[in-house]
Amino acid sequence: MMENILASYFSADITDPPTVCAAVHDGREAVALAPADETALIARFPQLAPLSRCTLTAEGWMDQETEEPALVHTLHSFTCQSDSRCTGWASYNVQGAASPSQLYTAVWQGDAWQFTSDPQIIAQ
């Protein structure tokens, strides 16, 4: 699911993009993806930095190397209801502001995953 989110983000025409990191929310805080998953995503998206490079400060996420703001995509409550259907909430945070959350659904169509997203307020 994170790969789909990042593919959509990186395919957008963004002028002067910030450092981008990816995380999962463990119920308390944003944490790094599993090392193999993070490495695979960085190989697919060279623009992606490891979460260890992005630090949460009072002003929001910052790139430790450049000391510039960073953007962190976070996946929350990722669950698979079956072998062919998974859901998760996703949002991003940049300069202390969070995007509205989107509910993502992934459905296996026999040869590929199909993704849909639905912008919702998490309380809905």
Side-chain angles (χ1 to χ4, degrees):
M1 191 163 296
M2 182 60 80
E3 181 174 357
N4 176 262
I5 293 163
L6 293 171
S8 179
Y9 175 81
F10 287 127
S11 69
D13 186 19
I14 300 170
T15 304
D16 196 24
T19 299
V20 176
C21 296
V24 292
H25 202 280
D26 70 359
R28 296 170 302 178
E29 63 186 348
V31 297
L33 302 168
D37 294 339
E38 186 176 64
T39 299
L41 286 172
I42 291 169
R44 172 116 194 308
F45 305 106
Q47 316 92 306
L48 184 66
L51 186 62
S52 60
R53 183 170 159 182
C54 294
T55 303
L56 187 57
T57 69
E59 292 81 35
W61 289 96
M62 302 296 283
D63 180 329
Q64 286 188 67
E65 291 180 16
T66 66
E67 298 182 4
E68 295 290 325
L71 183 147
V72 176
H73 287 277
T74 306
L75 188 59
H76 313 259
S77 303
F78 178 78
T79 58
C80 291
Q81 296 76 24
S82 68
D83 290 343
S84 60
R85 187 179 198 297
C86 300
T87 58
W89 294 92
S91 62
Y92 63 87
N93 187 296
V94 65
Q95 294 183 325
S99 71
S101 294
Q102 294 223 24
L103 176 61
Y104 282 84
T105 302
V107 177
W108 182 251
Q109 296 294 319
D111 60 348
W113 288 97
Q114 296 295 315
F115 295 91
T116 57
S117 63
D118 184 10
Q120 297 185 3
I121 298 171
I122 283 188
Q124 291 182 324

